Amino acid sequence: MRVILLGPPGCGKGTQGNRIEQSYGFPRISTGDLLRAEVAAETLLGLKARTVMESGELVSDAIVVEMIRKRIFSPDCRKGYILDGFPRTIAQAESLAYMDGSRLEAAIDIRVDNDVLIKRLSARWVCSCGAVYNLKVKPPAEEGKCDVCGGSLLQRKDDDSGVIRGRLRVYRKQTEPLIVFYKKKGNYFFVDGEQGIESVFSSINYILKRLLQETGELRE
């Protein structure tokens, strides 16, 4: 099975992707995490992507598709995987279908109002170890320090309020057409992302279990 998580920055794709991974055993593949790893390692791909990412624009389809292609054919993805941040354009969605088109697929759109997203992202701080905090709903035990490793917390450049608005404009323009794409395929679903984390996961879990039961992939 392939689970595609749609939704703008800050809607909770990462949190929900981790919950699905824990419950179903499908690895969560985050385009953002993969790209940031490349940037940190200062690879050729990372150097190309850094300027684009920090401005809030989207990295080219060619770079992202090649990176995803390598990941989804890894051994741990044979039974299924979760895509967080990919596809973001119709061209990427078509490339995905061409690469690995035989899987049961669910495109789940996590909907959140723009004002809520800006408040969420402006309060987000991260650690180099990968831990993520929200100063309003999930603050660290000690201000400015990571609970996991004790490292210093930083706000990503793409979480600046001005950049956030730009990221949302990019999303609405380039990514929302995917809703029409997946509706035509008959595998589009949406959930209210302004609910609590557990309620959002409950909605997603219901969708996935129903699909797996209908196809005979899940048996009680």
Side-chain angles (χ1 to χ4, degrees), residues 9-214:
C11 73
K13 296 191 296 295
T15 298
Q16 296 305 324
N18 288 336
R19 292 298 306 275
I20 298 168
E21 181 176 31
Q22 292 167 8
S23 296
Y24 290 83
F26 304 152
R28 168 181 164 256
I29 301 171
S30 166
T31 310
D33 288 348
L34 292 177
L35 282 170
R36 281 187 286 275
E38 295 285 348
V39 170
E42 297 187 338
T43 64
L44 179 60
L45 185 152
L47 293 173
K48 290 180 179 179
R50 176 182 289 157
T51 302
V52 180
M53 291 172 64
E54 290 182 352
S55 69
E57 295 296 320
L58 296 179
V59 177
S60 71
D61 285 349
I63 293 174
V64 176
V65 168
E66 181 57 31
M67 183 175 60
I68 291 293
R69 183 197 306 273
K70 294 178 181 178
R71 182 67 185 89
I72 65 175
F73 288 110
S74 298
D76 63 334
C77 291
R78 287 174 182 168
K79 292 186 177 180
Y81 52 88
I82 306 150
L83 291 174
D84 171 0
F86 183 92
R88 286 186 172 178
T89 65
I90 298 297
Q92 290 180 3
E94 291 174 341
S95 295
L96 177 63
Y98 178 79
M99 287 189 289
D100 192 19
S102 62
R103 290 183 184 269
L104 175 64
E105 183 179 69
I108 300 176
D109 183 12
I110 304 175
R111 293 187 179 180
V112 180
D113 182 77
N114 273 10
D115 290 339
V116 175
L117 292 170
I118 292 170
K119 289 179 181 178
R120 284 185 183 181
L121 291 172
S122 297
R124 183 167 68 176
W125 289 72
V126 300
C127 178
S128 59
C129 75
V132 180
Y133 300 87
N134 185 291
L135 300 186
K136 294 184 178 180
V137 298
K138 186 190 173 185
E142 183 178 349
E143 184 177 352
K145 289 191 175 182
C146 177
D147 296 345
V148 178
C149 71
S152 297
L153 300 182
L154 300 171
Q155 187 173 45
R156 295 201 322 237
K157 290 183 179 181
D158 57 356
D159 280 344
D160 173 80
S161 60
V163 176
I164 292 170
R165 293 181 187 279
R167 293 169 68 196
L168 293 176
R169 284 194 296 271
V170 170
Y171 174 80
R172 303 299 180 195
K173 179 181 179 180
Q174 298 191 24
T175 309
E176 284 199 328
L178 286 172
I179 293 173
V180 176
F181 179 86
Y182 286 112
K183 279 184 175 178
K184 288 180 178 178
K185 292 186 71 174
N187 60 356
Y188 169 82
F189 308 88
F190 73 88
V191 299
D192 178 3
E194 295 184 30
Q195 305 176 88
I197 291 173
E198 293 301 324
S199 295
V200 174
F201 178 69
S202 179
S203 298
I204 293 173
N205 192 38
Y206 173 79
I207 291 168
L208 297 182
K209 281 193 171 183
R210 190 182 70 187
L211 283 175
L212 290 169
Q213 288 170 345
E214 287 175 353

